[in-house]
Amino acid sequence: AGRSQIVVTMYDGPYVYPGIDVRYERLRALIMQHGYHDFDTIEDVAVDLRFAEVEQMLAEARARVPPEVKLATWEPGMLPAMRAFVEEGEMPGWFPIGWESGYTRARETTLVLIREEEIFGWAQFHPRPPSAAFGPILWLPRARGRSYGGLLLLESMLRCARAGCERMTAGWANTGFYVRYGWDII
């Protein structure tokens, strides 16, 4: 069909991802025989939410963040700031045309980082006890390297633990980011 790449993944989360499940070793071997080769691996990660360090790690992350930065639950009044964030964030797959219609009500499972009416970080979590899913997460490139992502992740973990979830997973993850906060590659 004129394609030069095939995406192969193993995923059992709430999303469908195109490609061939890596558990089909015979199919993988057939593809390799036809000139394809392994290019990249996208991993899933998971964490046991019952470990006691979540609250301590969250307190440490909050201490590294300036006091003018607020972590908030999404509210519809934030829509103008969210539009600017979406434009600068350049993730059209997460914010397709018409995305605003899903943001017309309070979303208890969406967190934002705000400074002076500007949103510069955003994350979603999905508690479904006994497990939870995390993601997507995005903070603007100009705001990276300041513990903001960790703050979003850890707050999401704590909220899911308090909702009765024992485990949380994230798909197609930047594994280094998650491992720092106690997650394992699965």
Side-chain angles (χ1 to χ4, degrees):
R3 301 290 183 219
S4 62
Q5 290 186 358
I6 298 174
V7 177
V8 182
T9 186
M10 180 173 86
Y11 195 70
D12 59 2
Y15 306 101
V16 175
Y17 193 75
I20 302 160
D21 190 314
V22 296
R23 293 172 286 192
Y24 295 111
E25 283 297 321
R26 288 178 41 208
L27 182 55
R28 182 179 172 274
L30 176 67
I31 291 169
M32 301 290 270
Q33 289 172 4
H34 285 84
Y36 288 88
H37 63 278
D38 289 334
F39 177 77
D40 195 11
T41 302
I42 300 172
E43 304 283 356
D44 287 355
V45 291
V47 66
D48 184 337
L49 294 173
R50 297 170 291 184
F51 77 99
E53 293 84 18
V54 175
E55 289 191 44
Q56 178 183 343
M57 292 170 71
L58 179 58
E60 291 168 2
R62 284 182 190 262
R64 290 189 297 270
V65 172
E68 66 271 11
V69 172
K70 304 296 181 212
L71 177 65
T73 302
W74 168 260
E75 295 179 15
M78 300 173 180
L79 190 55
M82 190 68 178
R83 284 188 180 108
F85 170 78
V86 167
E87 186 174 322
E88 187 175 345
E90 296 181 354
M91 291 300 293
W94 295 344
F95 299 100
I97 294 172
W99 66 266
E100 294 97 336
S101 65
Y103 282 77
T104 57
R105 57 182 167 68
R107 295 173 62 121
E108 293 296 318
T109 60
T110 299
L111 299 174
V112 293
L113 287 172
I114 302 174
R115 181 181 341 143
E116 299 176 5
E117 305 298 318
E118 176 198 24
I119 294 175
F120 60 93
W122 163 88
Q124 292 186 323
F125 58 95
H126 314 277
R128 295 179 194 98
S131 64
F134 178 75
I137 181 173
L138 175 65
W139 60 106
L140 299 177
R142 61 184 164 81
R144 293 188 182 155
R146 298 184 183 130
S147 300
Y148 297 142
L151 184 60
L152 289 164
L153 176 64
L154 290 163
E155 179 69 25
S156 298
M157 290 167 60
L158 184 61
R159 289 186 186 199
C160 286
R162 288 181 175 163
C165 298
E166 298 174 359
R167 179 177 171 86
M168 186 177 231
T169 59
W172 321 306
N174 174 343
T175 55
F177 168 71
Y178 290 89
V179 169
R180 279 193 301 260
Y181 297 101
W183 292 59
D184 295 308
I185 299 169
I186 56 170

